[in-house]
């Protein structure tokens, strides 16, 4: 009886949801055919790099139609078994092509076929200095003991007010993980937090630390990835994509600022790194710490259902006290580019008292709108209908929604009026205004425009901590976990945007932002003040947040979500379509709408998600197309045939679907 052919099921980076079948390469040793190795294969007229998923002796295609793979690149799997399981879960839960999902987990040089057998991996510098280690507070020690005495999978919500020493808890726990010869994976939401975190860890531990984020070169990223995979790096610190880093001996996963929206990937494979981290910790049977002063409603809901264990740090460390809050009613009050007279007077007072001042405006650029005062025309993006933001340095129009750019328009295309005016205030315009009002005080601006260059953010933070700029202006980057001991005043210029938004998450997000920005003030000996400018000083949620704190606000918001059957009490699926032709998008979405109408909608009183499992971010599931209706999408969307027909008719190409 002839031997059965060896069939390789291989994932290729492509928009297809299935893998591709190939015959084993000629003279290939069976031992080399392990799931997780890379394989070079012919694909059309080109050669491609794929990842072997499984080996079989059967295929749905005729054997005569299969091509043999060209070569097995790796001697051992680049992706270990449990990481492959995590990738399969991610592909299934987020309804994303399997090949695209796998290649998201690989550094660029490995995706291109770079061989690693002869690659010399230099170890990062190791600190040999003895750091001063503070004595834990009573609450910190309780949290440390709870985590270190737990074996196996357990999610902890480290719920500590700003300045309460959550990082010290991380360090103490990691110290014991290292003693057990295991690895710690630490995720931070922004690259901006990476230098600060790395410095703190390097000063504390004499072990190799691998760093992973988007500003590394391809070679640096590959080296860090291999350090983690080999086990040479005891600590791995990175942003959201680092959740897919292979670990030889995983011991714990830590997410700092777990509530942060930056843990969500918004293009390509759309995923929540926080949720994937919880799933990975469960697969690896290790604890996970979700740290935040403003935990997400999903995490607090999981605490209420006893899926997660809450560890509370209610007080700031040392002599630091909580800042005081002040509401500034903007009604009937003059302003200078968004700055009220009341706020200007208080800024002057704090500057005179040698304090640093932080001004938060979550809108970069010079102004959010370019308008014609003659006919009312507004500069809108031609690609996505969003309004174009004006930038001054350099001068251009930029759509912050889709990334489109355009030269500044000098006359109105509608009425030819030549005096177009900027409307509203962005961080650039705010910087210009404050420089005029306070010419004797140096200031600096921190947003994506000022931190694009490599090491720019690291250098900027160093200058800020040296108390050189007295006025700090910035967007969310300035509010996330930074320790600025000299800041005594924090001001939030536009709180109303989140309070009046139609997005059901907007109030949660603005409450977190206000609390986090406030947490930058008064972190050392000097007391802090917080000023919030608003046209709605009597807004009940705003008053509740200021008078009773974030958790009272969160409990109220959870009750509202439950009454309205919004996440985390229900599942949401978000479908997005993109095309160069607007009509094609609407036709596609109309087809989806009609397809969903043929299936019954669950009754509003349907039960909450299964209480035996943690509730993930049920409002963020999105799909590039609707060709893979499974799991949470099943009850709401099953338009596979309609979607495929549209794709066949080239109305919307699959690569254009989000």
């Amino acid at each position: 009886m002839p031997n059965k052919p060896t069939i390789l099921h291989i994932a290729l980076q492509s928009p297809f949801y299935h893998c591709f079948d190939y015959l084993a390469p000629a003279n290939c040793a069976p031992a080399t055919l392990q799931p997780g190795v890379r394989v070079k294969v012919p694909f059309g007229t080109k050669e491609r790099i794929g990842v072997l998923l499984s080996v079989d002796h059967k295929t749905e295609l005729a054997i005569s139609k299969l091509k043999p793979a060209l070569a097995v690149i790796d001697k051992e799997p680049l992706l270990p078994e449990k990481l492959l399981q995590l990738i399969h879960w991610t592909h299934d839960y987020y309804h994303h092509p399997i090949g695209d999902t796998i290649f998201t987990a690989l550094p660029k040089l490995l995706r291109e076929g770079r061989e690693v057998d002869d690659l010399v991996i230099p170890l990062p510098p190791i600190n040999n200095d003895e750091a001063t280690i503070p004595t834990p507070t009573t609450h910190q020690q309780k949290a440390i003991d709870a985590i270190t005495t737990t074996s196996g999978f357990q999610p902890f919500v480290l719920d500590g007010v700003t300045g309460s020493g959550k990082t010290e808890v991380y360090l103490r726990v990691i110290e014991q993980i290292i003693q057990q010869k295991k690895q710690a994976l630490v995720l931070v939401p922004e690259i901006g937090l990476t230098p600060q975190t790395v410095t703190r860890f390097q000063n504390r531990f004499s072990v190799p630390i691998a760093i992973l984020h988007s500003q590394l070169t391809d070679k640096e990223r590959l080296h860090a990835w291999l350090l983690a995979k080999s086990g040479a790096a005891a600590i791995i610190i990175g942003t959201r994509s680092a959740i897919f880093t292979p670990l030889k001996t995983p011991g714990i996963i830590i997410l700092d600022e777990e509530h942060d929206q930056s843990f969500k990937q918004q293009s390509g494979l759309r995923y929540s790194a926080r949720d994937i981290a919880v799933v990975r910790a469960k697969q690896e049977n290790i604890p996970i710490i979700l740290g935040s002063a403003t935990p997400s409603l999903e995490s607090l809901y999981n605490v209420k259902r006893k899926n997660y264990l809450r560890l509370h740090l209610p007080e700031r460390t040392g002599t630091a006290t909580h800042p005081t809050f002040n509401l500034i009613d903007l009604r009937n009050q003059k302003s200078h580019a968004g700055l009220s007279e009341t706020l200007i007077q208080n800024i002057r007072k704090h500057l005179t008292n040698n304090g640093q001042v932080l001004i938060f405006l979550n809108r970069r650029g010079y102004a959010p709108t370019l308008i014609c005062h003659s006919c009312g025309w507004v500069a809108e993006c031609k690609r996505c209908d969003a309004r174009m933001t004006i930038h001054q340095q350099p001068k251009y129009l930029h759509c912050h929604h889709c990334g489109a750019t355009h030269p500044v328009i000098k006359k109105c295309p509608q009425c030819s009026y030549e005096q177009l005016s900027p409307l509203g205030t962005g961080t650039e315009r705010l910087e210009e205004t404050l420089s005029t009002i306070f010419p004797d005080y140096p200031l600096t601006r921190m947003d994506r425009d000022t931190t694009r260059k490599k090491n720019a953010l690291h250098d900027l933070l160093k200058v800020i901590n040296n108390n050189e700029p007295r006025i700090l202006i910035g967007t969310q980057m300035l509010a996330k976990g930074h320790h600025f001991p000299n800041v005594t005043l924090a001001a939030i210029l536009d709180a109303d945007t989140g309070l009046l938004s139609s997005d059901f998450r907007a109030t949660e997000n603005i409450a977190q932002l206000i609390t986090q920005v406030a947490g930058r003030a008064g972190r050392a000996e000097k007391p802090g003040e917080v000023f919030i400018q608003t046209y709605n000083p009597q807004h009940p949620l705003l008053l509740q947040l200021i008078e009773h704190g974030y958790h009272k606000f969160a409990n109220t918001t959870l009750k509202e979500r439950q009454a309205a059957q919004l996440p985390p009490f229900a599942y949401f699926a978000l479908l997005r379509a993109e095309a160069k032709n607007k009509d094609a998008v609407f036709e596609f979405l109309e087809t989806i709408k009609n397809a969903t109408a043929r299936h019954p909608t669950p009754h509003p009183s349907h039960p909450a998600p299964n209480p035996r499992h943690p509730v993930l971010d049920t409002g963020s599931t999105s799909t590039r197309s609707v060709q893979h209706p499974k799991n949470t999408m099943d009850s709401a969307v099953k338009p596979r045939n309609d979607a495929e027909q549209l794709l066949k008719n080239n109305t919307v190409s699959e690569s254009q679907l989000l």
Side-chain angles (χ1 to χ4, degrees), residues 620-631:
S620 68
T621 302
S622 60
T623 170
R624 221 175 177 192
S625 72
V626 285
Q627 298 185 65
H628 190 56
K630 289 185 180 179
N631 301 338

Side-chain angles (χ1 to χ4, degrees), residues 367-550:
T369 305
L370 181 66
I371 190 170
C372 173
H373 280 280
S374 176
C375 69
W377 171 87
V378 173
E380 293 184 340
C381 178
K382 295 179 180 179
R383 285 178 54 184
C384 69
D385 292 338
R387 292 184 177 181
M388 302 286 278
T389 298
I390 309 164
H391 287 254
Q392 290 286 80
Q393 302 294 333
K395 201 164 187 175
Y396 69 105
L397 295 175
H398 186 196
C399 175
H400 291 167
H401 182 72
C402 72
T405 59
H406 194 279
V408 172
I409 300 167
K410 296 185 178 179
K411 67 178 181 179
C412 177
Q414 190 164 285
C415 71
S416 299
Y417 188 66
E418 294 188 358
Q419 293 184 14
L420 304 181
S421 303
L423 184 66
T425 300
T427 49
E428 281 188 42
R429 193 173 196 178
L430 181 61
E431 180 182 24
E432 180 181 275
T433 303
L434 284 166
S435 296
T436 303
I437 299 174
F438 302 104
D440 297 330
Y441 294 97
L443 56 79
T444 192
R445 173 166 56 92
M446 182 189 290
D447 56 30
R448 295 206 181 279
D449 298 321
T450 61
T451 56
R452 293 187 187 280
K453 294 181 180 179
K454 189 172 183 179
N455 297 325
L457 184 55
H458 179 268
D459 296 339
L460 191 57
L461 290 172
K462 187 176 181 181
V463 169
I464 291 173
N465 284 312
N466 287 338
N467 204 28
E468 294 176 23
R470 299 292 303 285
I471 303 173
L472 316 178
I473 305 164
T475 55
Q476 290 188 49
M477 295 181 69
L478 200 58
K480 296 182 178 182
H482 298 295
H483 179 63
F484 300 138
N486 297 311
V487 169
T488 58
L489 181 148
I492 298 156
L493 298 195
D494 188 7
D496 296 333
T497 304
L499 295 174
L500 304 177
S501 171
S502 59
D503 181 0
F504 77 92
R505 293 189 189 277
T507 52
E508 176 188 0
N509 294 339
I510 193 63
Q512 291 166 340
L513 263 177
I514 289 174
T515 306
Q516 293 289 339
V517 173
R520 301 315 108 201
R523 294 174 69 95
E525 292 80 12
K526 298 178 182 178
E529 281 190 291
V530 181
F531 290 86
I532 303 172
Q533 295 191 157
T534 176
Y535 286 98
N536 299 275
Q538 300 303 317
H539 194 289
L541 291 179
L542 185 59
L543 290 175
Q544 186 180 54
L545 177 67
I546 292 172
E547 294 172 4
H548 302 288
Y550 176 77

Side-chain angles (χ1 to χ4, degrees), residues 38 44 76 174 193-194 247 373 379 435 439 459 500 523 570 651 655:
R38 292 172 299 157
E76 61 179 37
I174 290 174
L193 292 178
T194 310
L247 304 174
H373 280 280
S435 296
D459 296 339
L500 304 177
R523 294 174 69 95
T651 306
S655 62

Side-chain angles (χ1 to χ4, degrees), residues 269-300:
L269 168 60
R270 288 175 169 79
Y271 64 90
S272 166
R274 181 190 69 213
D275 293 349
I276 293 178
V278 173
V279 173
R280 183 172 188 182
K282 187 173 184 179
Q283 289 181 345
E284 301 283 4
N285 196 30
I286 58 175
I288 177 172
I289 305 174
L290 307 175
S292 177
T294 53
S296 64
L297 294 190
E298 282 82 11
S299 293
L300 291 177

